[in-house]
Amino acid sequence: MKKIYYLSTLALLLSVSTFAQKVVFEEYDLSNGLHVILHQDNSAPVVTTSVMYHVGAKDEVKGRTGFAHFFEHLLFEGTKNIPKGEFFKIVSANGGRNNANTTQDRTYYYETFPSNNLELGLWLESERMLHPVINQDGVDTQNEVIKEEKRARIDNAPYGKIIYRTGINQHIFEKHPYKNSVIGSMEDLDAAQLNEFIAFHKKFYAPNNAVLVVAGDFETEPTKKMIEDYFGDIPTGDKVERINIVEQPVEAKKVTEYDSNIQIPIKLFIFRTPSNKDKDAYVLDMVSSILTSGKSSRMYKKLVENKKALQVLAFNDSQEDYGTYIMGALPLGETSLDEIAKEMDEEITKLQTELISEKEYQKLQNTFENRFVNSNSGVENIANTLARNYMLKGNTNLINDEINIFRSITREDIKRVANKYLNKNQRVEMDYLKKESEQQ
């Protein structure tokens, strides 16, 4: 009787969770091409206003890398109606928080306010889009900020070149601009002229190259009117021509990178994988979970529990055009990097030759169900996901349907994808070593 009661309760909780994670939204376009997504949730008195621009590091030209990330900073400098340095002060003085981030594919800005300050959030983002002040003073100020950021996060941080991909992407991409880092080259930024920054802004930061999301506590009709009032008159920009670069398959090679900030080396396997719109990218996320998610994962049990590795990692960094799959381990004690490579190859071979067990498969499905529910919690997360799914995957409703992609993945899919992408003859094997003083 207890078991029946438990299962009935569990079924009820699961059905409630599934219902609760349904995200209702409305989307439409303004006449200038700005795509608008509204998600109304009046359960808490907060609202997030965000704008995602379809511009990232891949949209830069040779010799001028780092522009997209530069503008992440520069567009906080000030506008025609917001004095220099006041953007963050206005937000915090009105009980809000805000931030921005840049990837290879997009740049994202957001503010979260008490819901009575929704109009302020809309005004701030419209100011950023319509009236930014782009002058030499702002460029010089942010140039120094970004140089310090690069020193702190990459140059002087342990494993910085791995975390921020500056030591990885150059080996896996030959022609595609994904080979460049998001933060770019300081030499390129130093050499750039003011008119180049102005031209970059004109090309990419227009309403027809952006999506506006409002998520949280608001009333729909008044919000639509405010959006029209603040964004409707912003001029449409020229159509952005997207790059279309096809890479040849990766040729197997072994490379070495050095880092003066580390004490423990890493052995890495790096593979090129498909676009984030491809179902196989979702399968590779599951492969990562099998290998390194938690203490019961395969690589953890094989290497960490057996005192051969201090830490293991495996993840699929899927992007709009291609992805990068990275797996590796930090050796422990006398374990050599060659031994780490041998152990990782054995785990890849198992995935390629054997179906995972039904028990492991069910655990995997439970893990991704839980992740999906958590990803749809909070209006900030929802705003980000809505914008990303619309802009980079072409399907806003993935916020509700993406879990069905994971549910459709079979044990046979996992074996097939491991064979298709985790090939020894199409990977970069990297030894990431401490840079000794005589090499500096």
Side-chain angles (χ1 to χ4, degrees):
M1 191 69 175
K2 281 185 177 180
K3 184 175 181 181
I4 294 172
Y5 174 78
Y6 171 78
L7 290 174
S8 299
T9 305
L10 180 61
L12 177 61
L13 289 173
L14 286 174
S15 65
V16 169
S17 296
T18 301
F19 176 77
Q21 66 183 286
K22 176 74 174 177
V23 176
V24 177
F25 61 90
E26 177 183 354
E27 55 186 331
Y28 62 97
D29 291 324
L30 299 186
S31 60
N32 57 12
L34 178 67
H35 192 72
V36 179
I37 305 174
L38 304 178
H39 164 64
Q40 186 176 359
D41 178 358
N42 303 115
S43 61
V46 294
V47 64
T48 293
T49 302
S50 68
V51 175
M52 182 176 286
Y53 293 92
H54 203 168
V55 56
K58 74 175 182 187
D59 297 297
E60 298 154 358
V61 298
K62 185 177 181 181
R64 289 296 181 266
T65 59
F67 268 46
H69 174 257
F70 195 92
F71 268 92
E72 175 199 318
H73 290 257
L74 189 62
L75 294 187
F76 281 105
E77 271 290 294
T79 75
K80 178 181 176 181
N81 298 301
I82 302 174
K84 179 181 172 69
E86 292 295 311
F87 205 105
F88 286 100
K89 293 178 183 177
I90 292 171
V91 173
S92 61
N94 287 275
R97 60 178 179 268
N98 67 317
N99 214 327
N101 51 73
T102 310
T103 70
Q104 294 279 4
D105 299 315
R106 92 296 181 276
T107 306
Y108 185 64
Y109 302 89
Y110 71 92
E111 297 83 30
T112 299
F113 281 113
S115 51
N116 61 348
N117 278 325
L118 167 60
E119 187 169 3
L120 175 60
L122 292 170
W123 176 73
L124 289 168
E125 288 304 331
S126 68
E127 276 292 299
R128 196 197 309 270
M129 188 179 290
L130 180 59
H131 294 133
V133 174
I134 303 173
N135 57 26
Q136 195 61 52
D137 178 53
V139 168
D140 291 343
T141 298
Q142 293 307 321
N143 204 345
E144 291 306 312
V145 170
I146 290 168
K147 284 179 180 177
E148 181 56 36
E149 180 182 351
K150 183 174 183 291
R151 285 190 286 267
R153 294 187 176 184
I154 299 175
D155 299 341
N156 301 322
Y159 311 105
K161 289 196 293 184
I162 292 176
I163 296 169
Y164 291 95
R165 309 292 191 275
T166 58
I168 288 179
N169 287 0
Q170 61 181 316
H171 298 298
I172 208 74
F173 295 103
E174 294 289 335
K175 297 179 291 182
H176 198 288
Y178 281 167
K179 67 184 178 181
N180 301 318
S181 71
V182 171
I183 204 165
S185 159
M186 298 304 100
E187 291 75 17
D188 288 353
L189 293 175
D190 285 341
Q193 301 297 309
L194 179 61
N195 66 305
E196 293 177 282
F197 289 105
I198 293 172
F200 191 84
H201 179 269
K202 181 180 179 182
K203 181 176 182 180
F204 292 108
Y205 296 84
N208 51 304
N209 196 44
V211 54
L212 165 70
V213 181
V214 179
D217 183 29
F218 62 86
E219 297 302 323
T220 300
E221 293 310 314
T223 299
K224 285 184 174 181
K225 184 179 185 307
M226 285 190 285
I227 290 170
E228 181 63 40
D229 290 344
Y230 284 112
F231 291 90
D233 291 336
I234 300 177
T236 303
D238 294 336
K239 182 180 179 181
V240 176
E241 297 297 329
R242 300 291 163 198
I243 64 168
N244 183 21
I245 296 175
V246 178
E247 285 276 2
Q248 295 300 310
V250 176
E251 293 185 4
K253 60 182 175 180
K254 187 172 181 178
V255 300
T256 304
E257 289 281 345
Y258 294 93
D259 186 339
S260 60
N261 304 296
I262 67 171
Q263 299 298 320
I264 302 172
I266 307 179
K267 169 67 76 172
L268 295 175
F269 292 164
I270 310 161
F271 308 85
R272 192 189 307 134
T273 54
S275 161
N276 58 15
K277 295 183 283 290
D278 194 306
K279 180 180 176 179
D280 286 354
Y282 293 89
V283 182
L284 285 161
D285 288 340
M286 284 193 158
V287 170
S288 298
S289 185
I290 294 167
L291 291 173
T292 61
S293 181
K295 293 185 177 181
S296 63
S297 62
R298 293 185 176 191
M299 282 177 59
Y300 186 93
K301 291 169 71 174
K302 185 179 184 67
L303 291 168
V304 178
E305 284 190 359
N306 288 326
K307 309 297 184 184
K308 292 184 177 181
L310 181 66
Q311 188 173 338
V312 293
L313 59 96
F315 59 94
N316 184 42
D317 184 15
S318 60
Q319 300 175 102
E320 188 175 20
D321 297 343
Y322 288 102
T324 305
Y325 193 88
I326 304 166
M327 60 183 297
L330 286 73
L332 183 63
E334 299 301 314
T335 307
S336 69
L337 292 182
D338 287 342
E339 187 174 355
I340 292 288
K342 177 176 175 292
E343 299 278 8
M344 290 197 299
D345 269 328
E346 288 179 1
E347 290 307 314
I348 292 173
T349 300
K350 285 181 184 177
L351 287 171
Q352 292 172 333
T353 57
E354 304 171 11
L355 292 178
I356 66 171
S357 69
E358 284 286 358
K359 181 180 179 181
E360 197 170 13
Y361 175 73
Q362 193 54 55
K363 177 190 171 188
L364 200 58
Q365 288 291 342
N366 293 341
T367 296
F368 279 84
E369 291 266 0
N370 186 54
R371 288 183 188 177
F372 181 73
V373 171
N374 290 336
S375 71
N376 285 355
S377 63
V379 293
E380 282 185 7
N381 287 341
I382 289 173
N384 190 323
T385 302
L386 287 167
R388 186 177 66 250
N389 286 342
Y390 165 76
M391 181 165 285
L392 303 183
K393 298 185 179 182
N395 182 0
T396 313
N397 200 47
L398 281 172
I399 196 167
N400 295 310
D401 289 347
E402 202 160 45
I403 189 59
N404 294 323
I405 299 176
F406 286 110
R407 286 170 177 159
S408 73
I409 293 170
T410 65
R411 296 187 299 154
E412 288 77 12
D413 283 329
I414 291 168
K415 181 180 176 183
R416 173 185 58 79
V417 164
N419 277 282
K420 185 173 182 179
Y421 297 104
L422 305 186
N423 288 316
K424 187 179 293 190
N425 63 346
Q426 290 185 344
R427 79 179 180 204
V428 175
E429 181 179 339
M430 179 183 291
D431 289 347
Y432 193 81
L433 308 176
K434 178 175 174 58
K435 186 176 185 179
E436 302 297 346
S437 56
E438 63 268 18
Q439 294 173 305
Q440 295 178 4

